């Protein structure tokens, strides 16, 4: 889409970027969910290389905080928010792994398909289940980017899910309190 069209946008633009070998369809599914659930414009960009300094040689995982810092420093002025999608294992020092990571009211979220692609018993789910999980994580992380905290309601997308089983049981829904906070955040981006 030409830059001239962006000048007239009334909705903030979310840019979804697949990194490395991440399937582009996953980025498109996430962009569609952001557009549909949050009523925001969302675009996908072509795949980019994973920032090489994000790999932690001792853990053999990628540091999500470092990725976020790198992308926050990148020149992507058209994007109100950025969702970076990976197929590698992400971590932050506090946890063994993360499905996704974003700073509250930040600009960049990092999401990994790596652990979403495996059931708790080690088997592989169908691709539509992986995409559903990725979309839930993306909406959760977008909530953080729009200043929401974790929610105690287990039926809200802002509830913390530490396992894929928990994530699978979470419906595509924000509770009324989180939905109200999202509306306020989106009314004044």
């Amino acid at each position: 889409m030409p830059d001239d069209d962006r000048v007239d946008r009334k909705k903030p633009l979310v840019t979804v970027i697949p990194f490395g070998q991440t399937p582009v369809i996953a980025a498109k599914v996430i962009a569609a969910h952001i557009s549909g659930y949050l009523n925001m414009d969302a675009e996908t960009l072509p795949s980019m290389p994973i920032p090489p300094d994000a790999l932690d040689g001792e853990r053999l995982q990628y540091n999500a905080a470092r990725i976020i810092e790198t992308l926050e420093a990148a020149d992507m002025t058209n994007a109100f928010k950025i969702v970076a999608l990976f197929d590698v294992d992400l971590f932050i020092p506090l946890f063994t792994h993360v499905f996704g990571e974003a700073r509250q009211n930040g600009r960049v979220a990092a999401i990994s398909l790596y652990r979403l692609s495996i059931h708790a018993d080690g088997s592989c789910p169908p691709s539509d289940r992986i995409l559903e999980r990725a979309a839930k994580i993306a909406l959760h992380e977008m909530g953080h980017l729009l200043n929401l905290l974790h929610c105690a309601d287990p039926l809200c997308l802002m509830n913390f899910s530490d396992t894929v089983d928990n994530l699978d049981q979470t419906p595509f829904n924000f509770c009324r309190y989180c939905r109200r906070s999202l509306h306020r955040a989106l009314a004044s981006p």
Side-chain angles (χ1 to χ4, degrees), residues 15 17 19 45 48-49 51 53 65-82 84 103 107-108:
T15 299
I17 310 168
F19 282 81
L45 294 183
M48 295 182 165
D53 65 334
R66 194 169 301 151
I67 288 169
I68 289 171
E69 289 169 4
T70 300
L71 293 176
E72 284 176 340
D75 182 22
M76 302 182 78
T77 54
N78 288 336
F80 170 61
K81 303 290 181 187
I82 299 166
R103 294 184 177 120
R107 187 163 175 248
V108 177

Side-chain angles (χ1 to χ4, degrees), residues 119-178:
H119 282 310
D121 65 5
S123 63
C124 295
S127 60
D128 60 335
R129 175 60 60 96
I130 298 167
L131 295 174
E132 177 185 316
R133 290 172 177 172
K136 287 179 179 177
I137 294 295
L139 290 171
H140 176 96
E141 299 306 335
M142 280 298 301
H144 288 313
L145 294 180
L146 294 168
N147 211 21
L148 269 64
L149 298 170
H150 285 146
C151 178
D153 184 344
L155 299 178
C156 177
L157 277 171
M158 291 313 295
N159 186 262
F160 177 72
S161 294
D162 59 347
T163 68
V164 288
D165 288 340
N166 288 347
L167 184 61
D168 289 343
Q169 293 170 11
T170 304
F172 271 109
N173 189 36
F174 291 99
C175 72
R176 64 185 173 142
Y177 301 108
C178 290

